[in-house]
Amino acid sequence: MVERLHARGDEVLVVSRGRSVPDPWVPVRQLWADRHDLAEHADKIRAFAPEAVLDSCALTGAAVDAVLPVLPEVPTVVLSSQDVYQAFAGLGSGRCEAPLPLTEESEPRVQRYPHRGSGLPDVPEDYDKLDVEERWRPRGATVLRLPLIYGPHDWQRREDAVLRRLRAGCRRIPIGAGNLLWTRGHVDDIATGVLAALDTRAADGRTFNLGETETWPVSTWFTQIIEAAGAEAELVRVPDTALPPDLTLTAAPAQHLLVSVARAQAVLGWAPGTPAEGVARSVRWHLDNPPDGPAWTDADTAADDAALARA
Protein backbone atom coordinates (compact mmCIF):
# COMPACT_ATOMS: atom_id res chain seq x y z
CA MET A 1 0.00 0.00 0.00
CA VAL A 2 2.87 2.36 0.78
CA GLU A 3 4.45 1.56 -2.57
CA ARG A 4 1.17 2.30 -4.37
CA LEU A 5 0.66 5.60 -2.56
CA HIS A 6 4.22 6.72 -3.27
CA ALA A 7 4.01 5.69 -6.94
CA ARG A 8 0.96 7.83 -7.55
CA GLY A 9 2.57 10.89 -5.96
CA ASP A 10 1.17 10.96 -2.43
CA GLU A 11 3.39 12.18 0.39
CA VAL A 12 3.53 9.36 2.94
CA LEU A 13 4.57 9.18 6.57
CA VAL A 14 4.99 5.59 7.79
CA VAL A 15 4.71 5.10 11.54
CA SER A 16 6.46 1.85 12.39
CA ARG A 17 8.37 0.13 15.15
CA GLY A 18 11.06 -0.53 12.54
CA ARG A 19 11.27 -4.27 13.17
CA SER A 20 10.50 -5.42 9.64
CA VAL A 21 11.26 -2.75 7.05
CA PRO A 22 11.74 -4.02 3.47
CA ASP A 23 15.15 -3.32 1.99
CA PRO A 24 15.31 -1.68 -0.45
CA TRP A 25 12.11 0.27 -0.03
CA VAL A 26 10.46 3.33 -1.47
CA PRO A 27 11.76 6.71 -0.25
CA VAL A 28 9.07 7.82 2.18
CA ARG A 29 9.16 9.59 5.52
CA GLN A 30 9.38 7.27 8.50
CA LEU A 31 8.63 7.77 12.16
CA TRP A 32 10.05 5.05 14.38
CA ALA A 33 7.63 4.63 17.26
CA ASP A 34 5.38 2.11 18.91
CA ARG A 35 1.77 3.16 18.44
CA HIS A 36 1.26 3.11 22.21
CA ASP A 37 3.88 5.88 22.43
CA LEU A 38 2.51 8.00 19.59
CA ALA A 39 1.50 10.81 21.96
CA GLU A 40 5.20 11.50 22.48
CA HIS A 41 5.40 12.39 18.77
CA ALA A 42 2.25 14.50 18.51
CA ASP A 43 4.24 17.48 17.24
CA LYS A 44 5.57 15.47 14.30
CA ILE A 45 2.09 14.31 13.38
CA ARG A 46 0.79 17.89 13.49
CA ALA A 47 3.70 19.09 11.36
CA PHE A 48 3.01 16.45 8.73
CA ALA A 49 -0.69 17.48 8.71
CA PRO A 50 -2.13 14.26 7.26
CA GLU A 51 -5.14 14.53 4.96
CA ALA A 52 -5.94 10.83 5.43
CA VAL A 53 -5.01 8.01 7.78
CA LEU A 54 -4.56 4.29 7.19
CA ASP A 55 -4.50 2.20 10.36
CA SER A 56 -3.10 -1.08 9.10
CA CYS A 57 -2.15 -2.82 12.34
CA ALA A 58 -4.57 -2.12 15.18
CA LEU A 59 -4.96 -5.40 17.07
CA THR A 60 -6.63 -4.32 20.30
CA GLY A 61 -8.93 -1.65 21.67
CA ALA A 62 -6.03 -0.22 23.66
CA ALA A 63 -4.01 0.11 20.47
CA VAL A 64 -6.70 2.40 19.05
CA ASP A 65 -7.15 4.34 22.29
CA ALA A 66 -3.45 5.20 22.17
CA VAL A 67 -3.62 6.93 18.78
CA LEU A 68 -7.07 8.54 18.64
CA PRO A 69 -6.06 11.65 20.65
CA VAL A 70 -3.05 12.21 18.37
CA LEU A 71 -4.49 11.66 14.91
CA PRO A 72 -6.64 14.32 13.21
CA GLU A 73 -10.24 13.63 12.24
CA VAL A 74 -9.64 13.11 8.53
CA PRO A 75 -10.77 10.32 6.17
CA THR A 76 -9.53 7.10 7.76
CA VAL A 77 -9.37 3.49 6.63
CA VAL A 78 -8.97 0.75 9.23
CA LEU A 79 -7.93 -2.80 8.40
CA SER A 80 -10.03 -5.34 10.25
CA SER A 81 -10.57 -9.05 9.72
CA GLN A 82 -13.30 -11.47 8.78
CA ASP A 83 -12.63 -13.17 12.10
CA VAL A 84 -15.19 -10.71 13.53
CA TYR A 85 -18.00 -12.95 12.24
CA GLN A 86 -19.61 -15.68 14.31
CA ALA A 87 -18.82 -18.04 11.43
CA PHE A 88 -15.15 -17.75 12.37
CA ALA A 89 -15.94 -19.23 15.77
CA GLY A 90 -17.27 -22.28 13.94
CA LEU A 91 -13.78 -23.09 12.67
CA GLY A 92 -12.77 -23.82 16.25
CA SER A 93 -16.04 -25.05 17.74
CA GLY A 94 -16.67 -27.74 15.15
CA ARG A 95 -20.23 -26.46 14.67
CA CYS A 96 -21.94 -24.61 11.87
CA GLU A 97 -22.43 -21.18 13.42
CA ALA A 98 -23.72 -19.02 10.54
CA PRO A 99 -25.32 -19.16 7.09
CA LEU A 100 -23.35 -18.20 3.99
CA PRO A 101 -22.29 -16.13 2.19
CA LEU A 102 -21.27 -13.70 4.91
CA THR A 103 -22.23 -10.09 4.31
CA GLU A 104 -21.30 -7.01 6.31
CA GLU A 105 -24.58 -7.48 8.23
CA SER A 106 -23.87 -11.10 9.21
CA GLU A 107 -23.86 -11.95 12.91
CA PRO A 108 -20.72 -10.71 14.68
CA ARG A 109 -18.72 -13.08 16.84
CA VAL A 110 -20.29 -13.55 20.29
CA GLN A 111 -17.14 -14.72 22.05
CA ARG A 112 -14.47 -12.07 22.54
CA TYR A 113 -10.67 -12.46 22.35
CA PRO A 114 -10.61 -15.43 19.94
CA HIS A 115 -6.88 -16.16 20.33
CA ARG A 116 -6.59 -15.82 24.10
CA GLY A 117 -4.46 -18.65 25.46
CA SER A 118 -3.40 -19.81 22.00
CA GLY A 119 0.24 -18.81 22.41
CA LEU A 120 0.39 -17.46 18.86
CA PRO A 121 3.51 -15.30 18.35
CA ASP A 122 2.94 -11.53 18.17
CA VAL A 123 -0.80 -11.92 18.89
CA PRO A 124 -1.80 -10.10 22.12
CA GLU A 125 -4.02 -11.93 24.58
CA ASP A 126 -6.59 -9.13 24.20
CA TYR A 127 -6.53 -9.22 20.39
CA ASP A 128 -9.99 -8.52 19.02
CA LYS A 129 -10.85 -6.66 15.83
CA LEU A 130 -14.37 -6.10 17.17
CA ASP A 131 -12.83 -3.79 19.79
CA VAL A 132 -10.85 -2.04 17.05
CA GLU A 133 -13.94 -1.45 14.92
CA GLU A 134 -15.96 -0.16 17.87
CA ARG A 135 -13.28 2.42 18.71
CA TRP A 136 -12.84 3.70 15.16
CA ARG A 137 -16.45 3.72 14.02
CA PRO A 138 -17.49 6.91 15.96
CA ARG A 139 -14.77 8.74 14.01
CA GLY A 140 -16.47 7.85 10.73
CA ALA A 141 -13.68 5.49 9.69
CA THR A 142 -14.06 3.08 6.81
CA VAL A 143 -13.63 -0.49 8.05
CA LEU A 144 -12.24 -3.12 5.69
CA ARG A 145 -12.65 -6.74 6.78
CA LEU A 146 -9.85 -8.70 5.18
CA PRO A 147 -9.79 -12.39 4.21
CA LEU A 148 -7.03 -14.99 4.30
CA ILE A 149 -4.33 -12.96 2.51
CA TYR A 150 -1.53 -14.51 0.48
CA GLY A 151 1.16 -13.27 -1.89
CA PRO A 152 4.70 -11.88 -1.84
CA HIS A 153 6.16 -11.11 1.60
CA ASP A 154 3.44 -13.13 3.37
CA TRP A 155 5.02 -13.75 6.77
CA GLN A 156 2.60 -16.62 7.39
CA ARG A 157 3.65 -18.30 4.11
CA ARG A 158 0.24 -19.78 3.54
CA GLU A 159 1.28 -21.83 0.50
CA ASP A 160 4.26 -23.33 2.27
CA ALA A 161 2.40 -26.40 3.52
CA VAL A 162 2.63 -27.49 -0.12
CA LEU A 163 5.80 -25.73 -1.27
CA ARG A 164 8.00 -27.09 1.53
CA ARG A 165 7.04 -30.61 0.46
CA LEU A 166 7.76 -29.85 -3.18
CA ARG A 167 11.16 -28.44 -2.23
CA ALA A 168 11.87 -31.64 -0.31
CA GLY A 169 11.03 -33.74 -3.37
CA CYS A 170 7.78 -35.18 -1.98
CA ARG A 171 5.54 -36.60 -4.69
CA ARG A 172 2.64 -37.74 -2.49
CA ILE A 173 1.06 -35.20 -0.12
CA PRO A 174 -1.52 -36.32 2.47
CA ILE A 175 -4.68 -34.25 2.74
CA GLY A 176 -8.02 -34.56 4.45
CA ALA A 177 -11.40 -33.93 2.85
CA GLY A 178 -9.99 -30.68 1.46
CA ASN A 179 -13.44 -29.16 1.02
CA LEU A 180 -13.07 -26.07 3.24
CA LEU A 181 -14.25 -22.87 1.51
CA TRP A 182 -12.38 -19.90 2.98
CA THR A 183 -12.34 -16.65 1.06
CA ARG A 184 -8.81 -15.62 0.15
CA GLY A 185 -7.28 -12.47 -1.31
CA HIS A 186 -4.04 -11.69 -3.12
CA VAL A 187 -2.14 -8.89 -1.42
CA ASP A 188 -2.05 -6.77 -4.60
CA ASP A 189 -5.83 -6.92 -4.92
CA ILE A 190 -6.25 -6.03 -1.25
CA ALA A 191 -3.96 -3.01 -1.71
CA THR A 192 -6.09 -1.86 -4.64
CA GLY A 193 -9.20 -2.13 -2.45
CA VAL A 194 -7.57 -0.16 0.37
CA LEU A 195 -6.62 2.69 -1.94
CA ALA A 196 -10.11 2.73 -3.41
CA ALA A 197 -11.52 3.09 0.12
CA LEU A 198 -9.12 5.95 0.87
CA ASP A 199 -10.23 7.77 -2.27
CA THR A 200 -13.99 7.15 -2.07
CA ARG A 201 -15.88 9.51 0.23
CA ALA A 202 -19.07 7.48 -0.27
CA ALA A 203 -17.24 4.76 1.71
CA ASP A 204 -16.68 6.91 4.80
CA GLY A 205 -18.13 5.36 7.93
CA ARG A 206 -19.09 2.13 6.18
CA THR A 207 -17.86 -1.46 6.47
CA PHE A 208 -16.70 -3.60 3.54
CA ASN A 209 -15.61 -7.18 3.01
CA LEU A 210 -12.65 -7.64 0.67
CA GLY A 211 -11.68 -10.92 -0.99
CA GLU A 212 -11.71 -12.86 -4.22
CA THR A 213 -15.06 -13.30 -5.94
CA GLU A 214 -14.26 -16.97 -6.64
CA THR A 215 -13.41 -19.37 -3.84
CA TRP A 216 -12.11 -22.85 -4.59
CA PRO A 217 -11.93 -25.59 -1.94
CA VAL A 218 -8.61 -26.04 -0.18
CA SER A 219 -7.83 -29.17 -2.20
CA THR A 220 -8.17 -27.23 -5.47
CA TRP A 221 -6.05 -24.40 -4.02
CA PHE A 222 -3.33 -26.96 -3.26
CA THR A 223 -3.60 -28.28 -6.82
CA GLN A 224 -3.22 -24.73 -8.17
CA ILE A 225 -0.07 -24.31 -6.06
CA ILE A 226 1.43 -27.54 -7.41
CA GLU A 227 0.65 -26.55 -11.00
CA ALA A 228 2.02 -23.02 -10.52
CA ALA A 229 5.25 -24.53 -9.19
CA GLY A 230 5.53 -26.71 -12.30
CA ALA A 231 5.75 -29.80 -10.11
CA GLU A 232 4.29 -33.27 -10.26
CA ALA A 233 2.75 -34.31 -6.97
CA GLU A 234 -0.34 -36.24 -5.97
CA LEU A 235 -2.76 -35.22 -3.21
CA VAL A 236 -3.58 -38.39 -1.30
CA ARG A 237 -6.75 -38.58 0.80
CA VAL A 238 -6.09 -39.75 4.36
CA PRO A 239 -8.28 -39.75 7.49
CA ASP A 240 -8.55 -36.29 9.04
CA THR A 241 -7.23 -37.72 12.32
CA ALA A 242 -3.99 -38.77 10.59
CA LEU A 243 -3.09 -35.35 9.17
CA PRO A 244 0.26 -33.74 10.05
CA PRO A 245 -0.24 -30.50 12.02
CA ASP A 246 0.49 -28.15 9.10
CA LEU A 247 -2.19 -29.84 6.97
CA THR A 248 -5.10 -29.71 9.42
CA LEU A 249 -6.64 -26.95 7.28
CA THR A 250 -7.58 -29.73 4.85
CA ALA A 251 -9.78 -31.55 7.39
CA ALA A 252 -13.55 -31.61 6.83
CA PRO A 253 -15.06 -28.44 8.37
CA ALA A 254 -18.41 -27.94 10.05
CA GLN A 255 -18.35 -24.25 9.07
CA HIS A 256 -17.06 -22.51 5.95
CA LEU A 257 -15.92 -18.87 5.82
CA LEU A 258 -17.24 -17.66 2.50
CA VAL A 259 -17.91 -13.92 2.15
CA SER A 260 -19.69 -11.66 -0.30
CA VAL A 261 -17.72 -8.67 -1.61
CA ALA A 262 -20.65 -7.24 -3.56
CA ARG A 263 -20.71 -4.02 -1.51
CA ALA A 264 -17.04 -3.28 -2.20
CA GLN A 265 -17.58 -3.92 -5.88
CA ALA A 266 -20.57 -1.60 -6.02
CA VAL A 267 -19.36 1.29 -3.85
CA LEU A 268 -15.59 1.17 -4.40
CA GLY A 269 -15.67 0.01 -8.01
CA TRP A 270 -13.26 -2.70 -6.91
CA ALA A 271 -12.53 -5.75 -9.08
CA PRO A 272 -10.14 -8.38 -7.68
CA GLY A 273 -8.31 -10.77 -9.97
CA THR A 274 -8.91 -14.49 -10.37
CA PRO A 275 -7.46 -17.00 -7.88
CA ALA A 276 -5.44 -18.91 -10.49
CA GLU A 277 -3.61 -15.74 -11.53
CA GLY A 278 -3.00 -14.69 -7.93
CA VAL A 279 -1.71 -18.10 -6.88
CA ALA A 280 0.68 -18.25 -9.84
CA ARG A 281 2.20 -14.86 -8.99
CA SER A 282 2.43 -15.73 -5.31
CA VAL A 283 4.05 -19.13 -5.87
CA ARG A 284 6.68 -17.65 -8.17
CA TRP A 285 7.72 -15.20 -5.46
CA HIS A 286 7.81 -17.80 -2.69
CA LEU A 287 9.85 -20.22 -4.80
CA ASP A 288 12.38 -17.45 -5.42
CA ASN A 289 12.37 -16.44 -1.73
CA PRO A 290 12.31 -19.60 0.41
CA PRO A 291 12.09 -19.20 4.19
CA ASP A 292 15.20 -19.22 6.35
CA GLY A 293 16.07 -22.25 8.42
CA PRO A 294 15.53 -25.96 7.83
CA ALA A 295 12.63 -26.43 5.43
CA TRP A 296 12.16 -30.16 5.94
CA THR A 297 13.24 -32.65 8.62
CA ASP A 298 13.25 -36.38 9.23
CA ALA A 299 10.35 -35.83 11.65
CA ASP A 300 8.35 -34.23 8.81
CA THR A 301 9.04 -37.22 6.59
CA ALA A 302 7.94 -39.60 9.35
CA ALA A 303 4.69 -37.65 9.93
CA ASP A 304 3.81 -37.69 6.23
CA ASP A 305 4.71 -41.36 5.87
CA ALA A 306 2.52 -42.25 8.86
CA ALA A 307 -0.39 -40.33 7.36
CA LEU A 308 0.07 -41.82 3.90
CA ALA A 309 0.17 -45.32 5.40
CA ARG A 310 -3.45 -44.77 6.45
CA ALA A 311 -4.64 -43.69 3.02
Coordinates of all heavy atoms in Angstrom, one line a residue, residues 36 58-65 109 112-118 122-132 135:
H36 N 1.7 2.8 20.8 CA 1.3 3.1 22.2 C 2.0 4.3 22.7 O 1.6 4.9 23.7 CB 1.5 1.9 23.1 CG 0.6 0.8 22.8 ND1 -0.7 0.7 23.3 CD2 0.8 -0.3 22.0 CE1 -1.3 -0.4 22.8 NE2 -0.4 -1.1 22.1
A58 N -3.9 -2.2 13.9 CA -4.6 -2.1 15.2 C -5.1 -3.5 15.6 O -6.0 -4.0 14.9 CB -5.7 -1.1 15.1
L59 N -4.6 -4.0 16.7 CA -5.0 -5.4 17.1 C -5.9 -5.4 18.3 O -6.6 -6.4 18.5 CB -3.7 -6.2 17.4 CG -2.7 -6.3 16.2 CD1 -1.5 -7.2 16.7 CD2 -3.3 -6.8 14.9
T60 N -5.9 -4.4 19.1 CA -6.6 -4.3 20.3 C -7.3 -3.0 20.5 O -6.9 -2.0 19.8 CB -5.7 -4.6 21.5 OG1 -4.8 -3.4 21.7 CG2 -4.9 -5.8 21.4
G61 N -8.3 -2.9 21.4 CA -8.9 -1.7 21.7 C -7.9 -0.7 22.2 O -8.0 0.5 21.9
A62 N -7.0 -1.1 23.1 CA -6.0 -0.2 23.7 C -5.1 0.4 22.6 O -4.7 1.5 22.7 CB -5.2 -1.0 24.7
A63 N -4.9 -0.4 21.5 CA -4.0 0.1 20.5 C -4.7 1.3 19.7 O -4.0 2.2 19.2 CB -3.7 -1.0 19.5
V64 N -6.0 1.3 19.7 CA -6.7 2.4 19.1 C -6.8 3.6 20.0 O -6.6 4.7 19.6 CB -8.1 2.0 18.6 CG1 -8.8 3.1 17.9 CG2 -8.0 0.8 17.6
D65 N -7.1 3.3 21.3 CA -7.2 4.3 22.3 C -5.9 5.2 22.3 O -5.9 6.4 22.6 CB -7.4 3.7 23.7 CG -8.8 3.1 23.8 OD1 -9.7 3.5 23.0 OD2 -9.0 2.2 24.7
R109 N -19.1 -12.0 15.9 CA -18.7 -13.1 16.8 C -19.2 -12.8 18.2 O -19.0 -11.6 18.7 CB -17.2 -13.2 16.8 CG -16.6 -14.2 17.7 CD -15.1 -14.5 17.4 NE -14.4 -13.4 16.8 CZ -13.9 -12.3 17.4 NH1 -14.1 -12.2 18.7 NH2 -13.3 -11.4 16.8
R112 N -15.5 -13.0 22.7 CA -14.5 -12.1 22.5 C -13.1 -12.7 22.7 O -13.0 -13.8 23.3 CB -14.6 -10.9 23.5 CG -15.8 -9.9 23.2 CD -15.6 -9.3 21.8 NE -16.7 -8.4 21.5 CZ -16.5 -7.1 21.4 NH1 -15.4 -6.5 21.8 NH2 -17.6 -6.3 21.0
Y113 N -12.1 -12.1 22.2 CA -10.7 -12.5 22.3 C -10.5 -13.9 21.8 O -10.1 -14.8 22.6 CB -10.2 -12.3 23.8 CG -10.6 -11.0 24.4 CD1 -11.5 -10.9 25.4 CD2 -10.2 -9.8 23.8 CE1 -11.9 -9.6 25.9 CE2 -10.6 -8.5 24.2 CZ -11.5 -8.5 25.3 OH -11.9 -7.3 25.8
P114 N -10.6 -14.1 20.5 CA -10.6 -15.4 19.9 C -9.3 -16.2 20.1 O -9.3 -17.4 19.9 CB -11.0 -15.2 18.5 CG -10.5 -13.8 18.2 CD -10.8 -13.0 19.5
H115 N -8.2 -15.5 20.3 CA -6.9 -16.2 20.3 C -6.3 -16.2 21.7 O -5.1 -16.5 21.9 CB -5.9 -15.5 19.4 CG -6.4 -15.5 17.9 ND1 -6.7 -16.7 17.3 CD2 -6.6 -14.5 17.1 CE1 -7.1 -16.3 16.0 NE2 -7.1 -15.0 15.9
R116 N -7.1 -15.8 22.7 CA -6.6 -15.8 24.1 C -6.2 -17.2 24.5 O -6.9 -18.2 24.4 CB -7.7 -15.3 25.1 CG -7.2 -15.3 26.5 CD -8.2 -14.4 27.4 NE -7.9 -13.0 27.2 CZ -8.6 -12.0 27.7 NH1 -9.7 -12.3 28.4 NH2 -8.3 -10.7 27.5
G117 N -5.0 -17.4 25.0 CA -4.5 -18.6 25.5 C -3.9 -19.5 24.4 O -3.4 -20.6 24.6
S118 N -3.9 -19.0 23.1 CA -3.4 -19.8 22.0 C -1.9 -19.9 21.9 O -1.3 -20.8 21.3 CB -4.0 -19.3 20.7 OG -3.4 -18.0 20.4
D122 N 3.3 -12.9 18.6 CA 2.9 -11.5 18.2 C 1.4 -11.3 18.2 O 1.0 -10.3 17.6 CB 3.5 -11.2 16.8 CG 5.0 -11.2 16.8 OD1 5.6 -10.8 17.8 OD2 5.6 -11.7 15.8
V123 N 0.6 -12.1 18.8 CA -0.8 -11.9 18.9 C -1.1 -11.7 20.4 O -1.0 -12.6 21.2 CB -1.6 -13.1 18.4 CG1 -3.1 -12.9 18.6 CG2 -1.3 -13.4 16.9
P124 N -1.5 -10.4 20.7 CA -1.8 -10.1 22.1 C -3.0 -10.9 22.7 O -3.9 -11.3 21.9 CB -2.2 -8.6 22.1 CG -1.7 -8.1 20.8 CD -1.7 -9.3 19.8
E125 N -2.9 -11.2 24.0 CA -4.0 -11.9 24.6 C -5.4 -11.2 24.4 O -6.4 -11.9 24.3 CB -3.7 -12.1 26.1 CG -2.6 -13.1 26.4 CD -3.0 -14.6 26.1 OE1 -3.8 -15.1 26.9 OE2 -2.6 -15.1 25.1
D126 N -5.3 -9.9 24.3 CA -6.6 -9.1 24.2 C -6.9 -8.7 22.7 O -7.6 -7.8 22.5 CB -6.6 -7.9 25.1 CG -5.4 -7.0 24.9 OD1 -4.4 -7.4 24.3 OD2 -5.5 -5.8 25.4
Y127 N -6.2 -9.5 21.8 CA -6.5 -9.2 20.4 C -8.0 -9.4 20.1 O -8.6 -10.4 20.5 CB -5.8 -10.2 19.5 CG -6.3 -10.3 18.1 CD1 -5.7 -9.5 17.1 CD2 -7.3 -11.1 17.7 CE1 -6.2 -9.5 15.8 CE2 -7.8 -11.1 16.4 CZ -7.2 -10.3 15.5 OH -7.7 -10.4 14.2
D128 N -8.6 -8.4 19.5 CA -10.0 -8.5 19.0 C -10.3 -7.4 18.1 O -10.4 -6.2 18.5 CB -11.0 -8.5 20.2 CG -12.3 -9.2 19.8 OD1 -12.8 -8.9 18.6 OD2 -12.9 -9.9 20.6
K129 N -10.5 -7.7 16.8 CA -10.8 -6.7 15.8 C -12.2 -6.0 16.1 O -12.5 -4.9 15.6 CB -10.8 -7.3 14.4 CG -9.3 -7.5 13.9 CD -8.6 -6.3 13.7 CE -7.2 -6.5 13.0 NZ -6.5 -5.3 12.7
L130 N -13.1 -6.7 16.8 CA -14.4 -6.1 17.2 C -14.1 -4.9 18.0 O -14.8 -3.8 17.9 CB -15.3 -7.1 17.9 CG -15.9 -8.2 17.0 CD1 -16.6 -9.2 17.9 CD2 -16.9 -7.6 16.1
D131 N -13.2 -5.0 19.0 CA -12.8 -3.8 19.8 C -12.3 -2.7 18.9 O -12.5 -1.5 19.1 CB -11.8 -4.2 20.9 CG -12.4 -5.1 21.9 OD1 -13.6 -5.1 22.1 OD2 -11.6 -5.7 22.7
V132 N -11.4 -3.0 17.9 CA -10.9 -2.0 17.1 C -11.9 -1.3 16.3 O -11.9 -0.1 16.2 CB -9.9 -2.7 16.1 CG1 -9.4 -1.8 15.0 CG2 -8.7 -3.3 16.9
R135 N -14.0 1.2 18.4 CA -13.3 2.4 18.7 C -13.2 3.4 17.5 O -13.4 4.6 17.7 CB -11.8 2.1 19.2 CG -11.6 1.2 20.3 CD -12.3 1.7 21.6 NE -11.7 1.2 22.8 CZ -11.8 0.0 23.3 NH1 -12.6 -0.9 22.8 NH2 -11.1 -0.3 24.5

